[in-house]
Amino acid sequence: MKRIITFGTFDVFHVGHVNILERAAEYGNHLIVGVSSDNLNYAKKGRFPVYSQQERCRIISALKFVDEVFLEESLELKKNYILEFRADVLIMGDDWKGRFDWVKDVCEVIYLPRTPSISTTEIIEVVKQL
Ligand code: C2G
């Protein structure tokens, strides 16, 4: 049994999010997703997400290849979450390449290529122009 963990805000859910979660799930038998809290998102990006943490958790929980969802309150707690959920592998998109190598003493770390040409920020800009 191989347990995979991944993290993200998953705001304005789009196909790039589906792709990374589906590919992450293929690396093991159990996919755990840490959804960034509203406050963590504000700290990282200087704005609150469009969708609340409850809504974002509900969307991620509804995906057939996701087994467990929890709220990620801090980037620095990554190692604690990995140990708490007994994850064997951390998977992130390669926009985070190298940034979580510091957890390599507790699990394997894999960065997968991002889906090109789609992001929440771009979607927000497109919608603003309508
Ligand atoms: N992603 C992707 N392709 C895109 C957009 C996003 O593969 N076109 C991936 C990201 O690389 C990330 C995941 O989808 O692995 C979630 O992306 P975001 O919601 O932007 O997450 P972020 O705000 O970067 O939060 O602890 C880590 C953070 O919580 C990650």
Side-chain angles (χ1 to χ4, degrees):
M1 172 94 163
K2 204 165 186 186
R3 295 167 65 86
I4 311 297
I5 195 165
T6 190
F7 295 84
T9 309
F10 305 106
D11 191 28
V12 189
F13 193 75
H14 59 66
V15 74
H17 296 143
V18 175
N19 289 342
I20 191 130
L21 292 172
E22 190 177 45
R23 280 182 297 160
E26 285 166 6
Y27 280 76
N29 331 85
H30 190 89
L31 180 62
I32 304 147
V33 184
V35 172
S36 296
S37 70
D38 293 340
N39 285 338
L40 172 55
N41 203 257
Y42 188 83
K44 276 194 307 189
K45 298 180 184 172
R47 64 166 178 81
F48 284 108
V50 174
Y51 292 112
S52 70
Q53 58 193 36
Q54 290 82 2
E55 290 166 325
R56 292 180 289 111
C57 283
R58 180 148 160 66
I59 291 167
I60 301 302
S61 305
L63 298 171
K64 63 182 177 192
F65 37 79
V66 171
D67 299 289
E68 263 183 277
V69 175
F70 68 97
L71 266 186
E72 178 196 30
E73 305 278 3
S74 160
L75 295 182
E76 284 76 42
L77 288 176
K78 211 151 245 91
K79 218 182 255 189
N80 302 50
Y81 296 131
I82 291 165
L83 294 172
E84 181 184 340
F85 288 92
R86 293 175 288 111
D88 303 295
V89 188
L90 167 65
I91 295 188
M92 292 298 300
D94 62 4
D95 47 325
W96 289 93
K97 199 169 175 68
R99 308 238 326 250
F100 296 122
D101 286 358
W102 57 278
V103 306
K104 275 185 176 170
D105 56 331
V106 291
C107 73
E108 187 185 344
V109 181
I110 297 174
Y111 302 97
L112 296 178
R114 265 171 78 90
T115 302
S117 318
I118 184 156
S119 74
T120 302
T121 311
E122 272 175 49
I123 294 169
I124 291 171
E125 287 309 312
V126 168
V127 172
K128 272 190 192 165
Q129 307 301 320
L130 295 178

mmCIF file of all heavy atoms in Angstrom, residues 6-11 14-21 23 34-37 40-41 44-45 72 74-75 78 91-96 100 112-120, ligand 1:
data_model
loop_
_atom_site.group_PDB
_atom_site.id
_atom_site.type_symbol
_atom_site.label_atom_id
_atom_site.label_comp_id
_atom_site.label_asym_id
_atom_site.label_seq_id
_atom_site.Cartn_x
_atom_site.Cartn_y
_atom_site.Cartn_z
ATOM 1 N N THR A 6 -0.401 15.284 -1.544
ATOM 2 C CA THR A 6 -0.135 16.480 -2.347
ATOM 3 C C THR A 6 -0.862 17.656 -1.721
ATOM 4 O O THR A 6 -1.751 17.460 -0.881
ATOM 5 C CB THR A 6 -0.536 16.268 -3.834
ATOM 6 O OG1 THR A 6 -0.058 17.364 -4.608
ATOM 7 C CG2 THR A 6 -2.055 16.163 -4.003
ATOM 8 N N PHE A 7 -0.471 18.867 -2.115
ATOM 9 C CA PHE A 7 -1.024 20.079 -1.501
ATOM 10 C C PHE A 7 -1.383 21.092 -2.576
ATOM 11 O O PHE A 7 -0.755 21.129 -3.636
ATOM 12 C CB PHE A 7 0.025 20.727 -0.578
ATOM 13 C CG PHE A 7 0.395 19.892 0.611
ATOM 14 C CD1 PHE A 7 1.366 18.899 0.501
ATOM 15 C CD2 PHE A 7 -0.219 20.087 1.835
ATOM 16 C CE1 PHE A 7 1.726 18.120 1.597
ATOM 17 C CE2 PHE A 7 0.131 19.318 2.942
ATOM 18 C CZ PHE A 7 1.109 18.338 2.819
ATOM 19 N N GLY A 8 -2.354 21.932 -2.276
ATOM 20 C CA GLY A 8 -2.665 23.009 -3.210
ATOM 21 C C GLY A 8 -3.849 23.816 -2.734
ATOM 22 O O GLY A 8 -4.572 23.414 -1.814
ATOM 23 N N THR A 9 -4.054 24.965 -3.379
ATOM 24 C CA THR A 9 -5.199 25.810 -3.053
ATOM 25 C C THR A 9 -6.432 25.321 -3.825
ATOM 26 O O THR A 9 -7.542 25.318 -3.311
ATOM 27 C CB THR A 9 -4.891 27.276 -3.431
ATOM 28 O OG1 THR A 9 -3.642 27.645 -2.854
ATOM 29 C CG2 THR A 9 -5.966 28.209 -2.908
ATOM 30 N N PHE A 10 -6.214 24.931 -5.072
ATOM 31 C CA PHE A 10 -7.284 24.426 -5.947
ATOM 32 C C PHE A 10 -8.455 25.406 -5.997
ATOM 33 O O PHE A 10 -9.618 25.019 -5.887
ATOM 34 C CB PHE A 10 -7.738 23.023 -5.500
ATOM 35 C CG PHE A 10 -6.608 22.036 -5.410
ATOM 36 C CD1 PHE A 10 -6.103 21.621 -4.187
ATOM 37 C CD2 PHE A 10 -6.010 21.548 -6.574
ATOM 38 C CE1 PHE A 10 -5.034 20.732 -4.102
ATOM 39 C CE2 PHE A 10 -4.940 20.651 -6.500
ATOM 40 C CZ PHE A 10 -4.464 20.248 -5.258
ATOM 41 N N ASP A 11 -8.120 26.707 -6.162
ATOM 42 C CA ASP A 11 -9.172 27.719 -6.244
ATOM 43 C C ASP A 11 -9.605 27.855 -7.698
ATOM 44 O O ASP A 11 -8.769 27.753 -8.609
ATOM 45 C CB ASP A 11 -8.629 29.056 -5.716
ATOM 46 C CG ASP A 11 -9.734 30.074 -5.522
ATOM 47 O OD1 ASP A 11 -10.891 29.664 -5.280
ATOM 48 O OD2 ASP A 11 -9.441 31.283 -5.608
ATOM 49 N N HIS A 14 -9.757 23.854 -12.028
ATOM 50 C CA HIS A 14 -9.624 23.752 -13.491
ATOM 51 C C HIS A 14 -8.897 22.458 -13.893
ATOM 52 O O HIS A 14 -8.447 21.683 -13.036
ATOM 53 C CB HIS A 14 -8.934 24.998 -14.061
ATOM 54 C CG HIS A 14 -7.554 25.257 -13.514
ATOM 55 N ND1 HIS A 14 -6.490 24.426 -13.741
ATOM 56 C CD2 HIS A 14 -7.080 26.282 -12.744
ATOM 57 C CE1 HIS A 14 -5.413 24.914 -13.157
ATOM 58 N NE2 HIS A 14 -5.750 26.037 -12.527
ATOM 59 N N VAL A 15 -8.737 22.264 -15.220
ATOM 60 C CA VAL A 15 -8.229 20.982 -15.724
ATOM 61 C C VAL A 15 -6.773 20.707 -15.287
ATOM 62 O O VAL A 15 -6.378 19.545 -15.135
ATOM 63 C CB VAL A 15 -8.422 20.897 -17.262
ATOM 64 C CG1 VAL A 15 -7.427 21.786 -17.992
ATOM 65 C CG2 VAL A 15 -8.340 19.461 -17.758
ATOM 66 N N GLY A 16 -5.989 21.764 -15.053
ATOM 67 C CA GLY A 16 -4.620 21.567 -14.565
ATOM 68 C C GLY A 16 -4.644 20.890 -13.192
ATOM 69 O O GLY A 16 -3.795 20.044 -12.883
ATOM 70 N N HIS A 17 -5.639 21.247 -12.375
ATOM 71 C CA HIS A 17 -5.792 20.619 -11.057
ATOM 72 C C HIS A 17 -6.187 19.145 -11.203
ATOM 73 O O HIS A 17 -5.655 18.277 -10.522
ATOM 74 C CB HIS A 17 -6.856 21.367 -10.237
ATOM 75 C CG HIS A 17 -6.491 22.784 -9.922
ATOM 76 N ND1 HIS A 17 -7.398 23.814 -9.905
ATOM 77 C CD2 HIS A 17 -5.285 23.354 -9.632
ATOM 78 C CE1 HIS A 17 -6.783 24.939 -9.589
ATOM 79 N NE2 HIS A 17 -5.506 24.699 -9.433
ATOM 80 N N VAL A 18 -7.139 18.879 -12.108
ATOM 81 C CA VAL A 18 -7.544 17.475 -12.343
ATOM 82 C C VAL A 18 -6.331 16.665 -12.775
ATOM 83 O O VAL A 18 -6.084 15.569 -12.259
ATOM 84 C CB VAL A 18 -8.631 17.377 -13.442
ATOM 85 C CG1 VAL A 18 -8.954 15.912 -13.749
ATOM 86 C CG2 VAL A 18 -9.883 18.108 -13.024
ATOM 87 N N ASN A 19 -5.559 17.217 -13.720
ATOM 88 C CA ASN A 19 -4.418 16.467 -14.264
ATOM 89 C C ASN A 19 -3.415 16.103 -13.179
ATOM 90 O O ASN A 19 -2.974 14.952 -13.110
ATOM 91 C CB ASN A 19 -3.717 17.294 -15.355
ATOM 92 C CG ASN A 19 -4.559 17.390 -16.617
ATOM 93 O OD1 ASN A 19 -5.477 16.602 -16.831
ATOM 94 N ND2 ASN A 19 -4.264 18.363 -17.465
ATOM 95 N N ILE A 20 -3.052 17.069 -12.321
ATOM 96 C CA ILE A 20 -2.013 16.745 -11.330
ATOM 97 C C ILE A 20 -2.547 15.747 -10.295
ATOM 98 O O ILE A 20 -1.834 14.818 -9.890
ATOM 99 C CB ILE A 20 -1.398 17.980 -10.640
ATOM 100 C CG1 ILE A 20 -0.166 17.560 -9.840
ATOM 101 C CG2 ILE A 20 -2.364 18.706 -9.734
ATOM 102 C CD1 ILE A 20 1.048 18.347 -10.080
ATOM 103 N N LEU A 21 -3.809 15.886 -9.905
ATOM 104 C CA LEU A 21 -4.359 14.962 -8.903
ATOM 105 C C LEU A 21 -4.490 13.552 -9.475
ATOM 106 O O LEU A 21 -4.150 12.572 -8.818
ATOM 107 C CB LEU A 21 -5.711 15.478 -8.399
ATOM 108 C CG LEU A 21 -5.633 16.759 -7.560
ATOM 109 C CD1 LEU A 21 -7.026 17.306 -7.283
ATOM 110 C CD2 LEU A 21 -4.893 16.517 -6.242
ATOM 111 N N ARG A 23 -2.722 12.273 -11.955
ATOM 112 C CA ARG A 23 -1.382 11.693 -12.142
ATOM 113 C C ARG A 23 -0.775 11.311 -10.800
ATOM 114 O O ARG A 23 -0.109 10.283 -10.670
ATOM 115 C CB ARG A 23 -0.473 12.674 -12.894
ATOM 116 C CG ARG A 23 -0.721 12.666 -14.399
ATOM 117 C CD ARG A 23 0.231 13.612 -15.098
ATOM 118 N NE ARG A 23 -0.025 14.978 -14.653
ATOM 119 C CZ ARG A 23 0.843 15.982 -14.757
ATOM 120 N NH1 ARG A 23 2.035 15.779 -15.274
ATOM 121 N NH2 ARG A 23 0.522 17.185 -14.347
ATOM 122 N N GLY A 34 -3.907 17.933 0.839
ATOM 123 C CA GLY A 34 -3.935 19.057 1.778
ATOM 124 C C GLY A 34 -4.380 20.295 1.027
ATOM 125 O O GLY A 34 -3.695 20.749 0.107
ATOM 126 N N VAL A 35 -5.539 20.820 1.399
ATOM 127 C CA VAL A 35 -6.082 22.009 0.727
ATOM 128 C C VAL A 35 -5.688 23.234 1.556
ATOM 129 O O VAL A 35 -5.990 23.305 2.756
ATOM 130 C CB VAL A 35 -7.625 21.889 0.610
ATOM 131 C CG1 VAL A 35 -8.232 23.183 0.093
ATOM 132 C CG2 VAL A 35 -7.989 20.709 -0.301
ATOM 133 N N SER A 36 -5.003 24.190 0.930
ATOM 134 C CA SER A 36 -4.536 25.384 1.649
ATOM 135 C C SER A 36 -5.715 26.148 2.238
ATOM 136 O O SER A 36 -6.687 26.437 1.535
ATOM 137 C CB SER A 36 -3.796 26.328 0.709
ATOM 138 O OG SER A 36 -2.631 25.740 0.223
ATOM 139 N N SER A 37 -5.609 26.507 3.507
ATOM 140 C CA SER A 37 -6.682 27.259 4.163
ATOM 141 C C SER A 37 -6.785 28.665 3.569
ATOM 142 O O SER A 37 -5.857 29.150 2.908
ATOM 143 C CB SER A 37 -6.409 27.351 5.669
ATOM 144 O OG SER A 37 -5.303 28.209 5.878
ATOM 145 N N LEU A 40 -3.928 30.749 4.922
ATOM 146 C CA LEU A 40 -2.628 30.437 4.315
ATOM 147 C C LEU A 40 -2.559 31.062 2.928
ATOM 148 O O LEU A 40 -1.524 31.611 2.523
ATOM 149 C CB LEU A 40 -2.430 28.916 4.237
ATOM 150 C CG LEU A 40 -1.198 28.437 3.459
ATOM 151 C CD1 LEU A 40 0.098 29.065 4.006
ATOM 152 C CD2 LEU A 40 -1.072 26.917 3.493
ATOM 153 N N ASN A 41 -3.668 31.008 2.193
ATOM 154 C CA ASN A 41 -3.679 31.596 0.858
ATOM 155 C C ASN A 41 -3.461 33.103 0.931
ATOM 156 O O ASN A 41 -2.730 33.679 0.115
ATOM 157 C CB ASN A 41 -5.011 31.287 0.167
ATOM 158 C CG ASN A 41 -4.854 31.371 -1.321
ATOM 159 O OD1 ASN A 41 -5.259 32.333 -1.943
ATOM 160 N ND2 ASN A 41 -4.197 30.390 -1.897
ATOM 161 N N LYS A 44 0.164 33.697 1.495
ATOM 162 C CA LYS A 44 1.021 33.384 0.335
ATOM 163 C C LYS A 44 0.820 34.368 -0.805
ATOM 164 O O LYS A 44 1.751 34.755 -1.491
ATOM 165 C CB LYS A 44 0.648 31.990 -0.230
ATOM 166 C CG LYS A 44 1.291 30.825 0.450
ATOM 167 C CD LYS A 44 1.146 29.533 -0.353
ATOM 168 C CE LYS A 44 -0.278 29.230 -0.742
ATOM 169 N NZ LYS A 44 -0.435 27.870 -1.330
ATOM 170 N N LYS A 45 -0.467 34.741 -1.066
ATOM 171 C CA LYS A 45 -0.788 35.472 -2.297
ATOM 172 C C LYS A 45 -1.358 36.869 -2.071
ATOM 173 O O LYS A 45 -1.641 37.585 -3.034
ATOM 174 C CB LYS A 45 -1.760 34.641 -3.149
ATOM 175 C CG LYS A 45 -1.134 33.311 -3.572
ATOM 176 C CD LYS A 45 -2.031 32.439 -4.404
ATOM 177 C CE LYS A 45 -1.358 31.095 -4.684
ATOM 178 N NZ LYS A 45 -2.212 30.119 -5.323
ATOM 179 N N GLU A 72 -4.679 22.461 4.972
ATOM 180 C CA GLU A 72 -3.269 22.797 5.211
ATOM 181 C C GLU A 72 -3.220 24.226 5.765
ATOM 182 O O GLU A 72 -3.594 25.168 5.085
ATOM 183 C CB GLU A 72 -2.499 22.733 3.879
ATOM 184 C CG GLU A 72 -1.045 23.113 4.002
ATOM 185 C CD GLU A 72 -0.377 23.433 2.672
ATOM 186 O OE1 GLU A 72 -1.056 23.907 1.738
ATOM 187 O OE2 GLU A 72 0.834 23.232 2.578
ATOM 188 N N SER A 74 -0.339 25.670 7.223
ATOM 189 C CA SER A 74 0.968 26.330 7.147
ATOM 190 C C SER A 74 1.917 25.528 6.257
ATOM 191 O O SER A 74 1.941 24.294 6.341
ATOM 192 C CB SER A 74 1.564 26.444 8.552
ATOM 193 O OG SER A 74 2.959 26.639 8.482
ATOM 194 N N LEU A 75 2.711 26.222 5.431
ATOM 195 C CA LEU A 75 3.681 25.530 4.574
ATOM 196 C C LEU A 75 4.760 24.842 5.414
ATOM 197 O O LEU A 75 5.291 23.806 5.038
ATOM 198 C CB LEU A 75 4.352 26.531 3.628
ATOM 199 C CG LEU A 75 3.492 27.219 2.576
ATOM 200 C CD1 LEU A 75 4.345 28.141 1.710
ATOM 201 C CD2 LEU A 75 2.767 26.211 1.698
ATOM 202 N N LYS A 78 4.599 21.033 6.685
ATOM 203 C CA LYS A 78 4.531 19.953 5.685
ATOM 204 C C LYS A 78 5.010 18.605 6.245
ATOM 205 O O LYS A 78 4.383 17.577 6.039
ATOM 206 C CB LYS A 78 5.333 20.360 4.455
ATOM 207 C CG LYS A 78 4.757 19.760 3.221
ATOM 208 C CD LYS A 78 4.991 20.574 1.990
ATOM 209 C CE LYS A 78 3.728 21.117 1.399
ATOM 210 N NZ LYS A 78 3.299 22.405 1.843
ATOM 211 N N ILE A 91 3.935 14.616 -3.782
ATOM 212 C CA ILE A 91 3.944 15.008 -5.199
ATOM 213 C C ILE A 91 3.439 16.436 -5.323
ATOM 214 O O ILE A 91 2.405 16.794 -4.749
ATOM 215 C CB ILE A 91 3.081 14.032 -6.036
ATOM 216 C CG1 ILE A 91 3.722 12.640 -6.013
ATOM 217 C CG2 ILE A 91 2.922 14.554 -7.482
ATOM 218 C CD1 ILE A 91 3.109 11.615 -6.922
ATOM 219 N N MET A 92 4.197 17.258 -6.076
ATOM 220 C CA MET A 92 3.792 18.650 -6.332
ATOM 221 C C MET A 92 4.070 18.985 -7.796
ATOM 222 O O MET A 92 4.890 18.334 -8.444
ATOM 223 C CB MET A 92 4.621 19.614 -5.465
ATOM 224 C CG MET A 92 4.369 19.549 -3.970
ATOM 225 S SD MET A 92 2.700 19.968 -3.458
ATOM 226 C CE MET A 92 2.511 21.645 -4.047
ATOM 227 N N GLY A 93 3.410 20.022 -8.296
ATOM 228 C CA GLY A 93 3.708 20.512 -9.633
ATOM 229 C C GLY A 93 5.087 21.151 -9.661
ATOM 230 O O GLY A 93 5.615 21.570 -8.622
ATOM 231 N N ASP A 94 5.687 21.209 -10.864
ATOM 232 C CA ASP A 94 7.087 21.648 -10.914
ATOM 233 C C ASP A 94 7.275 23.163 -10.781
ATOM 234 O O ASP A 94 8.407 23.656 -10.834
ATOM 235 C CB ASP A 94 7.817 21.080 -12.144
ATOM 236 C CG ASP A 94 7.223 21.543 -13.457
ATOM 237 O OD1 ASP A 94 6.291 22.370 -13.451
ATOM 238 O OD2 ASP A 94 7.696 21.056 -14.509
ATOM 239 N N ASP A 95 6.170 23.911 -10.557
ATOM 240 C CA ASP A 95 6.358 25.317 -10.154
ATOM 241 C C ASP A 95 6.928 25.368 -8.727
ATOM 242 O O ASP A 95 7.441 26.401 -8.301
ATOM 243 C CB ASP A 95 5.052 26.124 -10.254
ATOM 244 C CG ASP A 95 3.841 25.430 -9.624
ATOM 245 O OD1 ASP A 95 3.751 24.194 -9.703
ATOM 246 O OD2 ASP A 95 2.987 26.126 -9.056
ATOM 247 N N TRP A 96 6.840 24.251 -8.011
ATOM 248 C CA TRP A 96 7.393 24.153 -6.658
ATOM 249 C C TRP A 96 8.725 23.411 -6.649
ATOM 250 O O TRP A 96 9.246 23.083 -5.573
ATOM 251 C CB TRP A 96 6.399 23.433 -5.735
ATOM 252 C CG TRP A 96 5.200 24.272 -5.424
ATOM 253 C CD1 TRP A 96 4.012 24.285 -6.102
ATOM 254 C CD2 TRP A 96 5.071 25.248 -4.392
ATOM 255 N NE1 TRP A 96 3.157 25.205 -5.546
ATOM 256 C CE2 TRP A 96 3.783 25.808 -4.491
ATOM 257 C CE3 TRP A 96 5.922 25.714 -3.385
ATOM 258 C CZ2 TRP A 96 3.327 26.808 -3.623
ATOM 259 C CZ3 TRP A 96 5.474 26.700 -2.518
ATOM 260 C CH2 TRP A 96 4.184 27.232 -2.655
ATOM 261 N N PHE A 100 10.379 21.808 -1.734
ATOM 262 C CA PHE A 100 10.012 20.917 -0.625
ATOM 263 C C PHE A 100 11.018 19.778 -0.458
ATOM 264 O O PHE A 100 10.721 18.761 0.160
ATOM 265 C CB PHE A 100 8.582 20.397 -0.796
ATOM 266 C CG PHE A 100 7.548 21.491 -0.725
ATOM 267 C CD1 PHE A 100 6.671 21.721 -1.763
ATOM 268 C CD2 PHE A 100 7.496 22.331 0.376
ATOM 269 C CE1 PHE A 100 5.743 22.747 -1.710
ATOM 270 C CE2 PHE A 100 6.580 23.370 0.452
ATOM 271 C CZ PHE A 100 5.697 23.575 -0.596
ATOM 272 N N LEU A 112 5.941 16.960 -10.643
ATOM 273 C CA LEU A 112 5.420 16.618 -11.972
ATOM 274 C C LEU A 112 5.245 17.881 -12.809
ATOM 275 O O LEU A 112 4.942 18.952 -12.264
ATOM 276 C CB LEU A 112 4.063 15.912 -11.828
ATOM 277 C CG LEU A 112 4.059 14.563 -11.106
ATOM 278 C CD1 LEU A 112 2.626 14.032 -11.000
ATOM 279 C CD2 LEU A 112 4.947 13.565 -11.839
ATOM 280 N N PRO A 113 5.400 17.777 -14.138
ATOM 281 C CA PRO A 113 5.238 18.960 -14.977
ATOM 282 C C PRO A 113 3.835 19.546 -14.868
ATOM 283 O O PRO A 113 2.852 18.807 -14.839
ATOM 284 C CB PRO A 113 5.480 18.437 -16.397
ATOM 285 C CG PRO A 113 6.003 17.057 -16.266
ATOM 286 C CD PRO A 113 5.732 16.566 -14.891
ATOM 287 N N ARG A 114 3.753 20.856 -14.795
ATOM 288 C CA ARG A 114 2.455 21.544 -14.755
ATOM 289 C C ARG A 114 1.754 21.420 -16.096
ATOM 290 O O ARG A 114 2.413 21.311 -17.134
ATOM 291 C CB ARG A 114 2.693 23.037 -14.524
ATOM 292 C CG ARG A 114 2.613 23.498 -13.116
ATOM 293 C CD ARG A 114 3.090 24.922 -13.065
ATOM 294 N NE ARG A 114 2.080 25.877 -13.524
ATOM 295 C CZ ARG A 114 1.188 26.444 -12.742
ATOM 296 N NH1 ARG A 114 1.160 26.138 -11.449
ATOM 297 N NH2 ARG A 114 0.328 27.328 -13.200
ATOM 298 N N THR A 115 0.443 21.493 -16.093
ATOM 299 C CA THR A 115 -0.309 21.592 -17.345
ATOM 300 C C THR A 115 -0.084 23.009 -17.895
ATOM 301 O O THR A 115 -0.338 23.988 -17.178
ATOM 302 C CB THR A 115 -1.813 21.368 -17.094
ATOM 303 O OG1 THR A 115 -1.976 20.081 -16.492
ATOM 304 C CG2 THR A 115 -2.606 21.469 -18.387
ATOM 305 N N PRO A 116 0.411 23.122 -19.153
ATOM 306 C CA PRO A 116 0.710 24.463 -19.661
ATOM 307 C C PRO A 116 -0.539 25.322 -19.896
ATOM 308 O O PRO A 116 -1.631 24.786 -20.114
ATOM 309 C CB PRO A 116 1.436 24.184 -20.993
ATOM 310 C CG PRO A 116 1.207 22.754 -21.308
ATOM 311 C CD PRO A 116 0.729 22.045 -20.086
ATOM 312 N N SER A 117 -0.347 26.613 -19.880
ATOM 313 C CA SER A 117 -1.341 27.602 -20.335
ATOM 314 C C SER A 117 -2.656 27.639 -19.565
ATOM 315 O O SER A 117 -3.667 28.038 -20.124
ATOM 316 C CB SER A 117 -1.696 27.397 -21.821
ATOM 317 O OG SER A 117 -0.572 27.120 -22.571
ATOM 318 N N ILE A 118 -2.653 27.197 -18.313
ATOM 319 C CA ILE A 118 -3.878 27.405 -17.519
ATOM 320 C C ILE A 118 -3.517 27.680 -16.062
ATOM 321 O O ILE A 118 -2.677 26.991 -15.492
ATOM 322 C CB ILE A 118 -4.877 26.224 -17.644
ATOM 323 C CG1 ILE A 118 -6.163 26.557 -16.887
ATOM 324 C CG2 ILE A 118 -4.314 24.906 -17.183
ATOM 325 C CD1 ILE A 118 -7.380 25.820 -17.377
ATOM 326 N N SER A 119 -4.121 28.736 -15.532
ATOM 327 C CA SER A 119 -3.913 29.040 -14.116
ATOM 328 C C SER A 119 -5.123 29.809 -13.599
ATOM 329 O O SER A 119 -5.844 30.453 -14.371
ATOM 330 C CB SER A 119 -2.652 29.869 -13.906
ATOM 331 O OG SER A 119 -2.873 31.196 -14.326
ATOM 332 N N THR A 120 -5.320 29.732 -12.284
ATOM 333 C CA THR A 120 -6.426 30.448 -11.641
ATOM 334 C C THR A 120 -6.312 31.949 -11.913
ATOM 335 O O THR A 120 -7.303 32.608 -12.237
ATOM 336 C CB THR A 120 -6.390 30.166 -10.121
ATOM 337 O OG1 THR A 120 -6.493 28.754 -9.932
ATOM 338 C CG2 THR A 120 -7.518 30.878 -9.402
HETATM 339 N N1 C2G B 1 -0.979 22.834 -11.210
HETATM 340 C C1 C2G B 1 -0.635 22.196 -12.401
HETATM 341 N N2 C2G B 1 -0.900 22.809 -13.599
HETATM 342 C C2 C2G B 1 -1.495 24.027 -13.641
HETATM 343 C C3 C2G B 1 -1.855 24.671 -12.451
HETATM 344 C C4 C2G B 1 -1.582 24.049 -11.225
HETATM 345 O O1 C2G B 1 -0.083 21.085 -12.405
HETATM 346 N N3 C2G B 1 -1.705 24.593 -14.837
HETATM 347 C C5 C2G B 1 -0.659 22.176 -9.943
HETATM 348 C C6 C2G B 1 0.336 22.953 -9.081
HETATM 349 O O2 C2G B 1 1.654 22.730 -9.543
HETATM 350 C C7 C2G B 1 0.078 22.383 -7.699
HETATM 351 C C8 C2G B 1 -1.434 22.055 -7.759
HETATM 352 O O3 C2G B 1 -1.802 22.075 -9.130
HETATM 353 O O4 C2G B 1 0.815 21.181 -7.495
HETATM 354 C C9 C2G B 1 -2.250 23.081 -7.002
HETATM 355 O O5 C2G B 1 -1.957 24.347 -7.544
HETATM 356 P P1 C2G B 1 -2.423 25.656 -6.771
HETATM 357 O O6 C2G B 1 -3.854 25.551 -6.430
HETATM 358 O O7 C2G B 1 -1.934 26.843 -7.527
HETATM 359 O O8 C2G B 1 -1.649 25.471 -5.412
HETATM 360 P P2 C2G B 1 -0.680 26.492 -4.705
HETATM 361 O O9 C2G B 1 -1.431 27.744 -4.382
HETATM 362 O O10 C2G B 1 0.582 26.547 -5.471
HETATM 363 O O11 C2G B 1 -0.498 25.786 -3.286
HETATM 364 O O12 C2G B 1 1.804 23.593 0.126
HETATM 365 C C10 C2G B 1 1.798 23.905 -1.215
HETATM 366 C C11 C2G B 1 0.748 24.857 -1.568
HETATM 367 O O13 C2G B 1 -0.407 24.675 -0.813
HETATM 368 C C12 C2G B 1 0.464 24.814 -3.049
#
